[in-house]
Amino acid sequence: MSALDLRALTMLIVDDNANMRGILSAILKSAGVRRILEAGDGVEGLKLFSEREVDIVFTDLMMQPVDGLSFVHWIRNSQASPNPYAPIIMMTGHATRRSLDEARMAGVTEFLAKPLNARGVLHRINEVINNPRDFVRTEAYFGPCRRRRIDHDFAGDERRGAQPTPTALGGEAEVQAFDPEDCY
């Protein structure tokens, strides 16, 4: 990954943990980000997002009174949202398949498991800047295309209705262990 010039970008950090905001802010500052906005909860985050031009949003999943999923849903779907296309990186210390799926369905661009490290943060920023995904609007979803991986071995017309891949022993392929770093 080549060095990104992040000086002109404005980042919004929404997390109810002041220490986590401080850690992420320090990582962003060390990467060259000069404009960092911080909010202690989803309500304050919505206010800042509405009032200021924000290039990338980092939000925690579990907050009160407005959690990260509701915050993302508002950005993506509210008529009052100034930028429903803003890249949103969701952070959580509770990374499970379910939380990943919920975040994806809410319209999150990237997912980042805590504890944070500079490499993971910069990788997610690089992805939203250098590998942006097209946005999709359906009756039930608005957000970046959720298809992350291209299966070059798939030979059919549509993957959604495809049968599970048989294994050499004749059974279905096993489900691999969930690792948030592999998925997002």
Side-chain angles (χ1 to χ4, degrees):
M1 169 173 48
S2 63
L4 296 170
D5 185 2
L6 306 175
R7 292 176 292 185
L9 300 180
T10 300
M11 310 260 181
L12 171 61
I13 302 170
V14 183
D15 197 317
D16 56 353
N17 184 316
N19 292 328
M20 187 55 61
R21 289 193 314 268
I23 290 168
L24 182 54
S25 184
I27 291 170
L28 295 174
K29 285 177 185 173
S30 69
V33 178
R34 299 290 173 250
R35 293 185 300 234
I36 301 169
L37 307 172
E38 294 186 21
D41 60 53
V43 173
E44 187 181 349
L46 293 173
K47 186 175 188 298
L48 283 171
F49 187 81
S50 296
E51 295 172 347
R52 306 282 298 270
E53 189 173 316
V54 174
D55 297 299
I56 298 175
V57 176
F58 286 86
T59 184
D60 188 27
L61 173 63
M62 300 178 76
M63 300 180 289
Q64 292 293 330
V66 175
D67 68 359
L69 294 175
S70 298
F71 175 75
V72 171
H73 188 265
W74 183 89
I75 289 175
R76 294 289 186 239
N77 298 296
S78 174
Q79 295 292 327
S81 176
N83 184 5
Y85 297 94
I88 302 171
I89 301 170
M90 179 160 283
M91 311 171 294
T92 186
H94 307 280
T96 63
R97 171 59 64 189
R98 181 177 179 192
S99 63
L100 174 66
D101 289 342
E102 288 175 344
R104 184 183 299 128
M105 290 304 295
V108 166
T109 312
E110 293 288 334
F111 193 83
L112 189 57
K114 294 177 182 177
L116 303 180
N117 60 51
R119 182 175 177 250
V121 170
L122 295 177
H123 176 72
R124 296 318 185 280
I125 292 171
N126 182 61
E127 285 297 307
V128 301
I129 292 173
N130 293 319
N131 299 311
R133 290 181 281 149
D134 292 335
F135 271 63
V136 174
R137 183 178 298 277
T138 66
E139 195 172 303
Y141 175 78
F142 175 68
C145 181
R146 296 169 286 193
R147 293 184 183 174
R148 301 276 305 179
R149 297 187 182 171
I150 298 172
D151 183 358
H152 296 287
D153 296 327
F154 184 75
D157 291 331
E158 292 190 29
R159 292 188 315 182
R160 288 193 176 168
Q163 297 298 318
T165 306
T167 63
L169 300 175
E172 292 181 3
E174 290 183 30
V175 176
Q176 295 182 354
F178 169 67
D179 182 358
E181 290 297 318
D182 289 340
C183 293
Y184 262 70

